């Protein structure tokens, strides 16, 4: 079977007067933790809904495990589970009971006790199995949602902003869970987020989407490499520092931004660059690596926060 287990081709959704998503061409390989990154309103949930067949695309197609979603819906979705936005629970029932109900809906039969407990164990909720869900924190509910999705033993799990609204500890727990699903259970994970930092920490490949359109797709390592070696320099006088840096052999792309001077300098040439600035009688206040993928993301999406 093809290594690409999810492929979308020119996938698009048009609402009344706007395209919520347009020409989305995703390629998710088996084993990926795939990050789908974009600011609010970019079209992430819309794309995920189309992939999970919750809404009908206006254009294009979705292939899952080699099956066309429109032509072979059941086969295409057989090994796929997903959560779009917040999972729903019966708050006055226990986590265990919620799992049984969710299981009977997706599997068509009540999952046995062992399976439910094993799955709760995976998400770190086994000890809380008999507690009512209304006593759960937001992060615990999020993990319970993932446990429900795991009941059908999916090969691909689609999570729409799984860490949204969680505190740093809750985010870390979900991140660790995602990595465990990938490494220990071999599940391909597709997750959306509006936080680059979040995606970067777990994803092997990613796509960036903005205003309904895809901007870039590739391995996280390659994308980072392509945007590497930028540094932020605080030196004065700025004009002198810029001309000095611009004249240096191993420095390129010198630009002045609100934050300071940004230049592309390989780390091994940084000391020479600083020495050059000092020799040119510039005061060097700081030279720090610039998180350039973040800059790229902000530049391409105009998002106010990374
Ligand atoms: N049912 C709908 N009717 C009309 N417009 C919609 C509908 N659903 C989404 N949209 C619009 O489509 C665009 C993309 O929305 P979507 O929910 O896919 O974005 P998102 O990337 O998931 O954003 P967020 O990070 O806020 O969840 C937005 O402009 C939104 O207003
Ligand atoms: Mg959304």
């Amino acid at each position: 079977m093809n290594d690409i287990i999810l492929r979308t081709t020119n996938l698009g959704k048009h609402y009344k007067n706007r395209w919520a998503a347009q020409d989305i061409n995703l390629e998710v390989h088996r084993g990926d933790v795939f990050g789908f990154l974009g600011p609010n309103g970019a079209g992430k949930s819309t794309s995920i809904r189309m992939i999970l067949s919750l809404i009908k695309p206006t254009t294009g197609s979705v292939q899952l495990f080699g099956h066309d979603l429109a032509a072979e819906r059941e086969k295409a979705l057989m090994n796929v589970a997903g959560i779009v936005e917040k999972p729903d629970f019966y708050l006055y029932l226990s986590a265990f009971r919620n799992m049984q109900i969710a299981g009977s809906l997706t599997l068509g039969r009540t999952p046995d006790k062992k399976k439910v407990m094993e799955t709760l164990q995976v998400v770190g909720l086994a000890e809380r199995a008999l507690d009512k869900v209304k006593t759960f924190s937001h992060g615990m509910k999020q993990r319970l949602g993932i446990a429900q999705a795991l009941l059908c033993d999916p090969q691909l799990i689609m999570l729409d902003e799984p860490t949204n609204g969680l505190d740093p500890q809750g985010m870390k727990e979900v991140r660790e869970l995602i990595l465990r699903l990938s490494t220990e259970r071999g599940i391909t994970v597709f997750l959306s987020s509006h936080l680059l930092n979040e995606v970067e920490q777990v994803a092997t490949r990613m796509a960036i989407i903005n205003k309904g359109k895809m901007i870039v797709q590739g391995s996280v390592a390659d994308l980072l490499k392509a945007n590497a070696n930028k540094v932020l320099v605080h030196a004065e006088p700025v004009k002198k520092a810029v001309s000095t840096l611009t004249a240096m052999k191993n420095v390129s792309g010198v630009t002045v931004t609100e934050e300071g001077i940004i230049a592309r300098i390989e780390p091994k040439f940084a000391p020479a660059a600083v020495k050059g600035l000092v020799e040119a009688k510039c005061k060097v206040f700081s030279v720090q690596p610039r998180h350039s993928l973040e800059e790229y993301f902000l530049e391409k999406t105009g998002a106010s926060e990374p």
Side-chain angles (χ1 to χ4, degrees), residues 18 34 38 60 69 109 123 127 135 139 147 149 166 175 186 188 193 196 220 232 239 255 264 282 299:
R18 78 166 73 84
F34 192 97
L69 185 60
R109 59 177 169 78
V123 302
E127 275 102 71
T135 68
L166 301 186
R175 264 200 317 267
T188 304
S193 175
L196 170 65
V220 172
L232 181 64
K239 243 181 159 175
T255 47
R264 195 182 286 268
C282 291
E299 182 190 305

Side-chain angles (χ1 to χ4, degrees), residues 10-305:
N10 299 333
L11 191 63
K13 180 73 185 175
H14 191 262
Y15 286 115
K16 243 183 192 169
N17 52 0
R18 78 166 73 84
W19 286 92
Q22 202 174 1
D23 287 331
I24 304 297
N25 294 299
L26 293 167
E27 284 185 356
V28 178
H29 301 240
R30 188 183 294 278
D32 279 347
V33 173
F34 192 97
F36 194 36
L37 183 68
N40 291 138
K44 302 181 296 291
S45 299
T46 302
S47 302
I48 293 177
R49 283 201 181 92
M50 289 191 280
I51 294 166
L52 290 172
S53 189
L54 300 171
I55 55 172
K56 230 176 144 181
T58 311
T59 63
S61 61
V62 176
Q63 296 250 315
L64 282 157
F65 298 94
H67 300 288
D68 182 81
L69 185 60
E72 302 178 288
R73 185 175 185 278
E74 214 162 293
K75 276 189 183 158
L77 291 174
M78 196 145 66
N79 296 304
V80 185
I83 310 173
V84 187
E85 271 143 28
K86 278 201 191 97
D88 275 336
F89 303 106
Y90 296 96
L91 294 175
Y92 287 88
L93 298 179
S94 67
F96 184 87
R97 190 72 191 108
N98 268 277
M99 288 285 282
Q100 284 188 316
I101 295 169
S104 57
L105 289 175
T106 49
L107 302 169
R109 59 177 169 78
T110 308
D112 60 47
K113 186 174 174 211
K114 191 165 160 260
K115 176 79 185 172
V116 170
M117 287 311 292
E118 263 174 20
T119 314
L120 285 173
Q121 184 80 42
V122 172
V123 302
L125 286 174
E127 275 102 71
R128 301 291 300 261
L130 299 178
D131 291 357
K132 285 183 181 154
V133 173
K134 81 178 171 88
T135 68
F136 280 19
S137 70
H138 184 37
M140 289 163 73
K141 284 185 192 145
Q142 207 63 21
R143 284 183 283 132
L144 181 59
I146 295 175
Q148 290 186 342
L150 289 175
L151 277 172
C152 64
D153 291 318
Q155 290 180 37
L156 168 66
I157 187 163
M158 312 270 307
L159 305 172
D160 189 19
E161 306 237 24
T163 59
N164 208 10
L166 301 186
D167 65 15
Q169 180 60 26
M171 283 174 132
K172 185 163 169 265
E173 282 166 7
V174 169
R175 264 200 317 267
E176 284 170 356
L177 171 58
I178 287 168
L179 289 174
R180 274 206 311 279
L181 295 181
S182 167
T183 54
E184 291 172 19
R185 308 200 130 213
I187 298 174
T188 304
V189 183
F190 182 106
L191 78 150
S192 73
S193 175
H194 61 277
L195 300 173
L196 170 65
N197 177 272
E198 189 62 18
V199 165
E200 231 185 316
Q201 287 188 57
V202 287
T204 48
R205 286 180 19 96
M206 66 186 243
I208 300 179
I209 177 176
N210 188 37
K211 296 190 180 135
K213 292 197 171 149
M214 246 174 69
I215 294 164
V216 71
Q217 171 171 230
S219 92
V220 172
D222 285 351
L223 289 171
L224 276 172
K225 223 185 289 161
N227 288 279
N229 297 338
K230 282 200 183 159
V231 292
L232 181 64
V233 179
H234 285 134
E236 281 176 8
V238 172
K239 243 181 159 175
K240 180 92 184 166
V242 167
S243 60
T244 308
L245 286 170
T246 308
M248 287 180 189
K249 225 178 29 228
N250 297 308
V251 178
S252 61
V254 183
T255 47
V256 181
T257 70
E258 271 179 13
E259 287 171 275
I261 304 163
I262 291 182
R264 195 182 286 268
I265 306 173
E266 264 188 64
K268 64 178 175 192
F269 294 123
V274 172
K275 187 162 174 267
L277 285 169
V278 172
E279 280 170 4
K281 304 225 165 2
C282 291
K283 285 185 193 158
V284 182
F285 296 99
S286 68
V287 177
Q288 55 199 110
R290 173 80 202 190
H291 197 313
S292 43
L293 192 53
E294 183 174 309
E295 189 188 324
Y296 180 79
F297 176 57
L298 292 175
E299 182 190 305
K300 294 293 179 190
T301 61
S304 56
E305 54 172 354

